Amino acid sequence: MILRFSLPYRTIPGQQLAVCGSHPDLGNWQLAAAAPMSYDNATGCWSYELTVADASGELSYKYALLDANDGAEHWESGPNRTVQYAAGSIPRLHLADYWRAPSQPENELLTAAFTKALFRRPAPVAAPSTEAAKTKKTKAPAKTASAPAGIAAQPAAAPAAGEIVFRLLAPRVAPALGLCVLGSDPALGAWDNTKALVLTDADYPTWAATVKLQNPAKDCLYKYAMWDAQAGQALDMEGGEDRVIPAAADPAAARVFNDEGYRYASSWRGAGVALPVFAMRSESGFGVGEFSDLTLLTDWAVQTGLKLVQILPINDTTATHTWVDSYPYAAISVFALHPQFIHLEGIAALKDKKAAQELARLKQEFNAKDFVDYAPVMVAKWKFLRLLYQQEKKAFLADADYQAFRASEASWLVPYAAFSALRDRFGTADFQQWPAQFRTPKALEELTAETAPDYDEYGLFFFVQYHLDKQLLAAVNYARARGVVLKGDLPIGIYRHSVDAWTQPELYHMDSQAGAPPDDFSTTGQNWRFPTYNWERMAADGYTWWKQRMGHLARYFDALRIDHILGFFRIWEMPIESVEGLLGHFAPALPLHRHEIERRLGWFDYSRLCEPYIRWHMLQDIFQGEAEAVFDEYLYDASYGRIHLKEPVDNQRKIEAHIAQKLVDFPEHAEYFRWLQKGLFALVNEVLFVPAGNDCYHPRITLNKSYSFRELDTDEDRRRLYDDIYVDFFFRRHEEFWREQGLVKLPAVRYATDMLICGEDLGMVPASVPGVMNELGILGLHIQRMPSNPETEFGHPDAAPYLSVVTTSSHDMSTLRGWWEEDRVRTQRFFETVLGHWREVAPFYCEPWVAREMLVQHLHAPAMWAILPLQDLLAMDRNLRRANPHEEQINVPSNPTHFWKYRLHLPLEELVEAVGFNEPLRALVQASGRR
């Protein structure tokens, strides 16, 4: 039989469409061997005919656009197409398809956020078993409400001669409704909305039905519509022009219409809430949020009409067993979950009465605190986890569910358990300090075997991870069943002393550090101290590590925020001797050769441009009355007015170590030494170019703010350096280069799962980034206080594109109320120009009605999602919001020693019961058109 593939698509010269699939003539899914299609200029259609020899079978396929102009290969989006055929019953099968463009907004509805949560279909009712049928007499079932007056859809099978198959990708159907086809042919109800052809959702999100038209020789007009099974009628017919089934030219052929998406009257928009798990407070908590608390926040979201709960990273960060581990972006494993989130009573009740009493006492003590007292909480949790492990060990090891979990997750679980036990045995997560035999992972299965004499060191971590996984999955399934999306967070980097670096060091540049250039959060940049990725090595095996990482996250989340998505285009990389970020550079990048600098600047002097520019008057500016003492101890005269740092403090890492020792020796002078360190760091930063090797150089970021720049000999030198070199380097030179980087790396991450992907694209954003994200269907982030247009002081939510998330603030900045009090002059401008209160005096504090106005702006934005921090939502209620707004900020990026301790000030149980707040919030959400 012959399969005829066809789809309308307008191309430009040099472009070619191909069909690739599971059949040998379609390349066996090898794009290089895909079948090229032919173009009909009159119809604008591409087509290809395939002869299949099998009597019957199933074939999967997809279309691809091959562009000879730039060598790019573009797959259409969406799942693979499938078709069943039976050669014995029909000679020809026509497949009428449409190109599914990756950048089309409706493709986002095919992600797990919509298919597994928001529009999750009711589970089918199971048929009675054979034994039950034998023992229980049943009368013939009455006509069900599934299709009372409609024409029943045929089960999925190979179509017969003359049959029409309708197939439509349509995830956006309310769980109580279905889909149907209405048309001009009597077989489609002759436009009678009670006699429609009802589609089946057996292959959801694809809906399908098979029918034989009564008048196949005539064109048939049709449309899709929502089907209300209870009322027995079609409703809310799609918009747009009628679709057409052309008159059959070959009555013996069958035809499959893989139609374009349902034409909705408006785009779907939803609202959500953001709150880290550790910040959640419940009456059954242990001084820190736990996975079980997600069910309470889900209940509150349902009450208020919010459809999404966004959290921060939840991976284990236990490296030092101190408060430093509270930083959620420094995970020791990108797979393991953090033990702080475990609900102890969810494992088992403690049988030791004394221990049970201590647990109850500590719960009460920790739960009374207004902040997460991380270190004491973790000490206590580990104590009780060890007791529960010993108490439950025998049953745990015999549990078939645990054995299945261990087997399925062994690739990361075994190394994690080994790493964690060795970390505790040797007192450090820095595996380079372990005994030589453990510095590289060897025979880990044998090391962690149940028969090993020291098994309990490892078994504890198997036990904890199993129960964490179990408790989180319970919360996930609870949210999905209630139509609420759980959105996770993917940190851009890995921790230097982690399982990942221990087991696969070849995937990272361990001699470099990742961070961020200067921005609104930090004027000297951020140094996260994570190693940067070895992208060339990752590409060699098709980004397997990334696919595994994303697949594991999809176990728990239906949506995901990618932290610092700019890192997939280029990352800010610093040499290992840097502490601050000013001496970093983008990687990858196209550095300037010395000859290019010399040509464009007019001269090149390594000492003047690339070594710290230090002069006596600078020391007086920076160190004031201490200048002479600082000079004597830390610097020396290099002649001709030049001053150099002494070798023991000639880079920031040395300075940091020196000051750390001073703090130990003279703790009473801590404030002085921190001030001194800041000044010495500033001296190291006084360069105009950063060496890149091979006589190439990067301009130093924000070089125009340095003494060295201001004191160049002439205005012409400053103009050439800044306007001709600096601006071109950072804002023009790399645009196409970075675009290509994003298009190479991001697809492997984007298409590894069916999660809805959102990117945190704040900061110094290359012009190519929004286009690449849009092309890949990745939502951007818009924060009113950080507009993408640098010439605009405040953004407006109305300007956000549909494929984006709008929010009032993030965990890295002050909340609405805190920001309102930071700068009275700026607040006044915002009050007048953005909120529209011209010539009115802005209130000193962010009053509830002011917060409401700002939140309403975001809810009415055109963006697909408005995800708002819970602190900002509570700002609308004078009785529920926190007394001091400055206690609501989660992180302070400019402070590298910040303690992540924010905790919600009221229990979630109280929030669930706050009808006086919840009902008005629900009304605001509904009034904005968000569903």
Side-chain angles (χ1 to χ4, degrees), residues 277-281 287-291 293 340-341 381 903:
V277 176
F278 63 77
M280 297 178 189
R281 180 194 290 265
V288 65
E290 299 171 342
F291 288 144
D293 296 331
Q340 71 174 323
F341 300 127
K381 279 209 170 184
R903 192 171 185 223

Side-chain angles (χ1 to χ4, degrees), residues 757-818:
I757 305 296
C758 311
E760 186 258 306
D761 53 347
L762 303 176
M764 197 172 175
V765 182
S768 59
V769 169
V772 171
M773 291 176 62
N774 185 70
E775 185 173 338
L776 297 176
I778 299 175
L779 277 62
L781 178 64
H782 289 259
I783 300 180
Q784 194 164 35
R785 284 178 265 163
M786 294 186 67
S788 56
N789 182 355
E791 297 179 0
T792 304
E793 183 178 18
F794 309 113
H796 198 291
D798 281 352
Y802 176 65
L803 289 185
S804 68
V805 175
V806 293
T807 187
T808 47
S809 57
S810 78
H811 63 275
D812 281 328
M813 57 176 61
S814 53
T815 58
L816 280 182
R817 294 169 62 210

